[in-house]
Amino acid sequence: MVPRAAGNAGAPLIALRRGALALIALLAVLCVPARAESLRYCDVPPQLSGEQQDRLLRVAAVVRGLLMEAGAPAALISRSGQNLERFGQRYSHTGITLATHREVPWAVRQLYFACDEGAPRIFDQGLAGFVMGMQNPALGYVSIVLLPALEAQALAERALDNALALRLLGPAYSANAFAFSQRYQNCNQWVAELLAAAWGGLDETAAPRAMAQQWLRQNDYEPTTFEVGSRWLMWLGHFIPWVHADDHPDEDRAALRYRVSMPESIEAFVRRTVPGTQRIELCHDERQLVLRRGWRPIDAGCRAEAGDRVVDLE
């Protein structure tokens, strides 16, 4: 018998450990649980250097200019998170940016998790603050989805309806909330249900979340599927306070998967459902900003191609 190399003996354990860390990273950044004042992890957020703040403010200024140029009353906006590329997801958090917000033009209305309160809340945040919420100040992405006038106006009216926004707010937060359950909700699911309320002609007075989810199903909304791949990793999720599995269907849990609303699934739904929808993607590194119009994503690493607009940030 040929002896097995000692270096391979622990390979399965190492792979499982890496998988556990990957799952924790994934579940920790879905709809980033946040302090009310920081919109970051429940831990104390890292401090941005003056150079990083200046760069992100310049990125936010470009985003604001694009929104003003488009002239729509509302748009979908998403920002990148941390360590999601390995799961095929560039964006973790989406909201509605509003041209005529009561506090500041182009503020972003969104759901966040208030750690101190242990509850989800609707939060309005200036565009610069939203952009600065990217977890990696050295490399980040922003996606803007521009809607036709009719749909944009309907979304703006619904998003600014405080009573409706609160009626669509779920009672409990879960980062990996099942897209068609009313037990929990994540930030992206609130946006998806707001789109349903805006475009579905629903009577939201009785059970707005149920009606919104029914409309999404009827219009073939497909949430993002995360393949966990291990029962041990599913079990590990129980030790993360803002992660739950009891809202997911038995067949999904048996198949070791979560179906969760993410910016990518919402954008795909809007693109298919609303003809004339346009998309702009921006990314930045420590040297430059790259801007691309259209649905083809910018390459990883913020690499510009022919036809992209490049802005020097140095």
Coordinates of all heavy atoms in Angstrom, one line a residue, residues 253-307:
R253 N -34.6 23.5 1.9 CA -33.6 23.1 3.0 C -33.1 21.7 2.7 O -31.9 21.4 3.0 CB -34.3 23.2 4.3 CG -34.5 24.6 4.8 CD -35.1 24.7 6.2 NE -36.5 24.3 6.2 CZ -37.3 24.3 7.3 NH1 -36.7 24.5 8.5 NH2 -38.6 24.0 7.2
A254 N -33.9 20.8 2.2 CA -33.4 19.5 1.9 C -32.4 19.5 0.7 O -31.5 18.7 0.7 CB -34.6 18.6 1.5
A255 N -32.6 20.5 -0.2 CA -31.7 20.6 -1.3 C -30.5 21.5 -0.9 O -29.6 21.8 -1.8 CB -32.4 21.2 -2.5
L256 N -30.4 21.9 0.3 CA -29.3 22.8 0.8 C -29.1 24.1 0.0 O -28.1 24.4 -0.5 CB -28.0 22.0 0.8 CG -28.0 20.6 1.5 CD1 -26.7 19.9 1.4 CD2 -28.4 20.8 3.0
R257 N -30.3 24.8 -0.1 CA -30.2 26.0 -0.8 C -31.1 27.1 -0.2 O -32.0 26.7 0.5 CB -30.6 25.8 -2.3 CG -32.1 25.5 -2.4 CD -32.5 25.2 -3.9 NE -33.9 24.7 -4.0 CZ -34.3 23.8 -4.7 NH1 -33.5 23.1 -5.5 NH2 -35.6 23.5 -4.8
Y258 N -30.8 28.3 -0.4 CA -31.6 29.5 0.0 C -32.0 30.2 -1.3 O -31.2 30.4 -2.2 CB -30.8 30.4 0.9 CG -30.4 29.9 2.2 CD1 -29.1 29.9 2.7 CD2 -31.4 29.3 3.1 CE1 -28.7 29.4 3.9 CE2 -31.0 28.8 4.3 CZ -29.7 28.9 4.7 OH -29.3 28.4 6.0
R259 N -33.2 30.7 -1.3 CA -33.7 31.5 -2.4 C -34.0 32.9 -1.8 O -35.0 33.1 -1.1 CB -34.9 30.9 -3.1 CG -34.5 29.7 -4.0 CD -35.7 29.3 -4.8 NE -36.7 28.6 -4.0 CZ -38.0 28.5 -4.3 NH1 -38.4 29.0 -5.4 NH2 -38.8 27.8 -3.5
V260 N -33.2 33.9 -2.2 CA -33.1 35.2 -1.5 C -33.2 36.3 -2.5 O -32.6 36.2 -3.6 CB -31.8 35.3 -0.7 CG1 -31.7 36.6 0.0 CG2 -31.7 34.1 0.2
S261 N -33.9 37.4 -2.2 CA -33.9 38.5 -3.1 C -32.6 39.3 -3.0 O -32.1 39.6 -1.9 CB -35.0 39.5 -2.7 OG -36.3 39.0 -3.1
M262 N -32.0 39.5 -4.1 CA -30.7 40.2 -4.3 C -30.8 41.2 -5.3 O -31.7 41.2 -6.2 CB -29.6 39.2 -4.6 CG -29.3 38.2 -3.5 SD -28.6 38.9 -2.0 CE -26.9 39.3 -2.6
P263 N -29.9 42.2 -5.4 CA -30.0 43.2 -6.4 C -30.0 42.6 -7.8 O -30.7 43.1 -8.7 CB -28.7 44.1 -6.2 CG -28.5 44.0 -4.7 CD -28.9 42.6 -4.3
E264 N -29.2 41.6 -8.0 CA -29.1 40.9 -9.4 C -30.5 40.4 -9.8 O -30.9 40.6 -10.9 CB -28.1 39.8 -9.4 CG -28.0 39.1 -10.7 CD -27.1 37.9 -10.6 OE1 -27.4 36.9 -9.9 OE2 -26.0 37.9 -11.3
S265 N -31.2 39.7 -8.9 CA -32.5 39.1 -9.3 C -33.5 40.2 -9.5 O -34.4 40.1 -10.3 CB -33.0 38.1 -8.2 OG -32.9 38.7 -6.9
I266 N -33.5 41.3 -8.7 CA -34.4 42.4 -8.9 C -34.2 43.1 -10.2 O -35.1 43.4 -11.0 CB -34.3 43.4 -7.7 CG1 -34.8 42.7 -6.4 CG2 -35.1 44.7 -8.0 CD1 -34.6 43.5 -5.2
E267 N -32.9 43.4 -10.5 CA -32.6 44.0 -11.8 C -33.0 43.2 -13.0 O -33.6 43.7 -14.0 CB -31.1 44.3 -11.9 CG -30.6 45.5 -11.0 CD -29.2 45.9 -11.3 OE1 -28.6 45.3 -12.1 OE2 -28.8 46.9 -10.6
A268 N -32.8 41.9 -12.9 CA -33.2 41.0 -14.0 C -34.7 41.0 -14.2 O -35.2 41.0 -15.3 CB -32.7 39.5 -13.7
F269 N -35.4 41.0 -13.1 CA -36.9 41.1 -13.1 C -37.4 42.4 -13.8 O -38.3 42.4 -14.6 CB -37.5 40.9 -11.7 CG -39.0 41.1 -11.6 CD1 -39.8 40.1 -12.1 CD2 -39.5 42.2 -11.1 CE1 -41.2 40.2 -12.0 CE2 -40.9 42.4 -11.0 CZ -41.7 41.4 -11.5
V270 N -36.8 43.5 -13.3 CA -37.2 44.8 -13.9 C -36.9 44.9 -15.4 O -37.7 45.4 -16.2 CB -36.5 45.9 -13.1 CG1 -36.8 47.3 -13.7 CG2 -37.0 45.9 -11.6
R271 N -35.7 44.4 -15.7 CA -35.3 44.4 -17.2 C -36.3 43.7 -18.0 O -36.7 44.1 -19.1 CB -33.9 43.8 -17.3 CG -33.4 43.9 -18.8 CD -32.1 43.1 -18.8 NE -31.5 43.2 -20.2 CZ -30.5 42.6 -20.6 NH1 -29.8 41.8 -19.8 NH2 -30.0 42.7 -21.9
R272 N -36.8 42.5 -17.5 CA -37.7 41.7 -18.3 C -39.1 42.2 -18.3 O -39.9 42.1 -19.2 CB -37.7 40.3 -17.7 CG -38.6 39.3 -18.4 CD -38.4 37.9 -17.9 NE -38.6 37.8 -16.5 CZ -39.7 37.8 -15.8 NH1 -40.9 37.9 -16.5 NH2 -39.8 37.8 -14.5
T273 N -39.5 42.8 -17.1 CA -40.9 43.2 -16.9 C -41.2 44.6 -17.5 O -42.3 44.8 -18.0 CB -41.2 43.2 -15.4 OG1 -40.9 41.9 -14.9 CG2 -42.7 43.5 -15.2
V274 N -40.2 45.5 -17.5 CA -40.5 46.9 -17.9 C -39.7 47.2 -19.1 O -38.5 47.5 -19.0 CB -40.1 47.9 -16.7 CG1 -40.4 49.3 -17.1 CG2 -40.8 47.5 -15.5
P275 N -40.3 47.2 -20.3 CA -39.5 47.5 -21.5 C -39.0 48.9 -21.5 O -39.7 49.8 -21.0 CB -40.6 47.3 -22.7 CG -41.6 46.4 -22.1 CD -41.6 46.7 -20.6
G276 N -37.8 49.1 -22.0 CA -37.2 50.5 -22.0 C -36.4 50.8 -20.8 O -35.8 51.9 -20.7
T277 N -36.3 49.8 -19.9 CA -35.4 50.1 -18.7 C -33.9 50.1 -19.2 O -33.5 49.3 -20.0 CB -35.6 48.9 -17.7 OG1 -37.0 49.0 -17.2 CG2 -34.7 49.1 -16.5
Q278 N -33.2 51.0 -18.6 CA -31.8 51.1 -18.9 C -30.9 51.0 -17.7 O -31.4 51.2 -16.6 CB -31.5 52.5 -19.5 CG -32.3 52.8 -20.8 CD -32.0 54.2 -21.3 OE1 -30.9 54.7 -21.3 NE2 -33.1 54.9 -21.7
R279 N -29.6 50.6 -17.9 CA -28.7 50.4 -16.8 C -27.4 51.1 -17.0 O -26.9 51.2 -18.1 CB -28.5 48.9 -16.6 CG -27.6 48.6 -15.3 CD -27.5 47.1 -15.2 NE -26.8 46.7 -14.0 CZ -25.6 46.3 -13.9 NH1 -24.8 46.3 -15.0 NH2 -25.0 46.0 -12.8
I280 N -26.9 51.7 -15.9 CA -25.5 52.3 -15.9 C -24.8 51.6 -14.7 O -25.3 51.5 -13.6 CB -25.6 53.8 -15.7 CG1 -26.5 54.4 -16.8 CG2 -24.2 54.3 -15.7 CD1 -26.7 55.9 -16.5
E281 N -23.6 51.2 -15.0 CA -22.7 50.6 -14.0 C -21.5 51.4 -13.8 O -20.9 51.9 -14.8 CB -22.4 49.2 -14.2 CG -21.6 48.5 -13.1 CD -21.4 47.0 -13.2 OE1 -21.1 46.6 -14.4 OE2 -21.5 46.3 -12.3
L282 N -21.1 51.7 -12.6 CA -19.8 52.4 -12.3 C -19.0 51.6 -11.4 O -19.5 50.8 -10.5 CB -20.1 53.7 -11.6 CG -21.0 54.8 -12.3 CD1 -22.4 54.6 -11.9 CD2 -20.5 56.2 -12.0
C283 N -17.7 51.7 -11.5 CA -16.8 51.1 -10.6 C -15.6 52.0 -10.3 O -15.4 52.9 -11.1 CB -16.3 49.7 -11.0 SG -15.2 49.7 -12.5
H284 N -15.0 51.8 -9.2 CA -13.8 52.6 -9.0 C -12.7 51.8 -8.3 O -13.1 50.8 -7.6 CB -14.1 53.8 -8.1 CG -14.3 53.4 -6.6 ND1 -13.3 53.4 -5.7 CD2 -15.4 53.0 -5.9 CE1 -13.7 52.9 -4.5 NE2 -15.0 52.8 -4.7
D285 N -11.5 52.1 -8.6 CA -10.4 51.6 -7.8 C -9.7 52.8 -7.2 O -10.3 53.8 -7.0 CB -9.5 50.7 -8.6 CG -8.9 51.3 -9.8 OD1 -8.9 52.6 -9.9 OD2 -8.5 50.6 -10.8
E286 N -8.4 52.6 -6.8 CA -7.7 53.8 -6.2 C -7.2 54.8 -7.2 O -6.6 55.8 -6.8 CB -6.6 53.2 -5.3 CG -7.1 52.4 -4.1 CD -6.0 51.9 -3.3 OE1 -5.1 51.2 -3.8 OE2 -6.1 52.1 -2.0
R287 N -7.4 54.5 -8.5 CA -6.8 55.3 -9.5 C -7.9 56.0 -10.4 O -7.8 57.1 -10.8 CB -5.9 54.6 -10.5 CG -4.7 54.0 -9.8 CD -3.8 53.2 -10.8 NE -4.5 52.1 -11.4 CZ -5.0 52.2 -12.7 NH1 -4.8 53.3 -13.4 NH2 -5.7 51.2 -13.2
Q288 N -9.0 55.2 -10.7 CA -9.9 55.7 -11.7 C -11.3 55.2 -11.5 O -11.6 54.3 -10.7 CB -9.5 55.2 -13.1 CG -9.5 53.7 -13.3 CD -9.0 53.3 -14.6 OE1 -8.4 54.0 -15.3 NE2 -9.4 52.0 -15.0
L289 N -12.3 55.9 -12.1 CA -13.7 55.5 -12.2 C -14.0 55.0 -13.6 O -13.6 55.7 -14.5 CB -14.6 56.6 -11.7 CG -16.1 56.4 -11.8 CD1 -16.8 57.3 -10.7 CD2 -16.7 56.8 -13.1
V290 N -14.7 53.9 -13.7 CA -15.1 53.4 -15.0 C -16.6 53.4 -15.1 O -17.3 53.0 -14.1 CB -14.6 52.0 -15.2 CG1 -15.1 51.4 -16.6 CG2 -13.0 52.0 -15.2
L291 N -17.2 53.9 -16.1 CA -18.6 54.0 -16.3 C -19.0 53.3 -17.6 O -18.4 53.5 -18.6 CB -19.0 55.5 -16.4 CG -20.5 55.9 -16.4 CD1 -20.7 57.3 -15.9 CD2 -21.1 55.8 -17.9
R292 N -20.0 52.5 -17.5 CA -20.5 51.7 -18.7 C -22.0 51.8 -18.7 O -22.7 51.5 -17.7 CB -20.0 50.3 -18.6 CG -20.5 49.4 -19.8 CD -20.0 48.0 -19.7 NE -18.5 48.0 -19.8 CZ -17.8 46.9 -19.7 NH1 -18.3 45.8 -19.5 NH2 -16.4 47.0 -19.8
R293 N -22.5 52.1 -19.9 CA -24.0 52.1 -20.1 C -24.4 50.7 -20.8 O -23.7 50.3 -21.7 CB -24.4 53.2 -21.0 CG -24.2 54.6 -20.3 CD -24.6 55.7 -21.3 NE -24.3 57.0 -20.7 CZ -25.2 57.7 -19.9 NH1 -26.4 57.2 -19.7 NH2 -24.9 58.9 -19.4
G294 N -25.5 50.1 -20.3 CA -25.9 48.9 -20.9 C -25.9 47.8 -19.8 O -25.5 48.0 -18.7
W295 N -26.3 46.6 -20.2 CA -26.5 45.5 -19.3 C -25.3 44.6 -19.2 O -25.3 43.7 -18.3 CB -27.8 44.7 -19.7 CG -29.0 45.5 -19.4 CD1 -29.6 46.3 -20.3 CD2 -29.7 45.6 -18.2 NE1 -30.7 46.9 -19.8 CE2 -30.8 46.5 -18.5 CE3 -29.6 45.1 -17.0 CZ2 -31.7 46.9 -17.5 CZ3 -30.5 45.4 -16.0 CH2 -31.6 46.3 -16.3
R296 N -24.3 44.8 -20.0 CA -23.1 43.9 -19.9 C -22.2 44.4 -18.7 O -21.8 45.6 -18.7 CB -22.3 43.9 -21.2 CG -21.1 42.9 -21.2 CD -20.5 42.8 -22.6 NE -20.0 44.1 -23.0 CZ -18.8 44.5 -22.7 NH1 -17.9 43.7 -22.0 NH2 -18.3 45.7 -23.2
P297 N -22.0 43.6 -17.7 CA -21.3 44.1 -16.5 C -19.8 44.4 -16.8 O -19.2 43.8 -17.7 CB -21.4 42.9 -15.5 CG -21.6 41.7 -16.4 CD -22.4 42.2 -17.6
I298 N -19.3 45.3 -16.0 CA -17.9 45.7 -16.1 C -17.1 44.5 -15.6 O -17.5 43.8 -14.6 CB -17.6 46.9 -15.2 CG1 -18.3 48.1 -15.8 CG2 -16.1 47.2 -15.2 CD1 -18.2 49.4 -14.9
D299 N -15.9 44.2 -16.1 CA -15.1 43.1 -15.7 C -14.7 43.2 -14.3 O -14.5 44.4 -13.8 CB -13.9 42.9 -16.6 CG -14.3 42.4 -18.0 OD1 -15.4 41.9 -18.2 OD2 -13.5 42.5 -18.9
A300 N -14.4 42.1 -13.6 CA -13.9 42.1 -12.2 C -12.6 42.9 -12.2 O -11.8 42.9 -13.2 CB -13.7 40.7 -11.7
G301 N -12.3 43.6 -11.2 CA -11.1 44.4 -11.1 C -11.3 45.8 -11.6 O -10.3 46.6 -11.7
C302 N -12.5 46.2 -12.1 CA -12.8 47.5 -12.6 C -11.9 47.8 -13.8 O -11.2 48.9 -13.9 CB -12.6 48.6 -11.5 SG -13.3 50.2 -11.9
R303 N -11.9 46.9 -14.8 CA -11.1 47.1 -16.0 C -11.9 47.7 -17.1 O -13.0 47.2 -17.4 CB -10.5 45.7 -16.4 CG -9.5 45.2 -15.5 CD -8.7 44.0 -16.1 NE -9.6 42.9 -16.3 CZ -9.8 41.9 -15.4 NH1 -9.2 42.0 -14.2 NH2 -10.6 40.9 -15.7
A304 N -11.5 48.8 -17.6 CA -12.2 49.5 -18.7 C -12.0 48.8 -20.0 O -11.0 48.2 -20.3 CB -11.8 51.0 -18.7
E305 N -13.0 49.0 -20.9 CA -12.9 48.5 -22.2 C -13.3 49.6 -23.2 O -13.8 50.7 -22.8 CB -13.9 47.3 -22.4 CG -13.5 46.1 -21.6 CD -14.4 44.9 -21.9 OE1 -15.4 45.1 -22.8 OE2 -14.3 43.8 -21.3
A306 N -13.2 49.4 -24.5 CA -13.5 50.4 -25.5 C -15.0 50.8 -25.3 O -15.8 49.9 -25.2 CB -13.2 49.8 -26.9
G307 N -15.2 52.0 -25.3 CA -16.6 52.5 -25.2 C -17.0 53.0 -23.8 O -18.0 53.7 -23.6

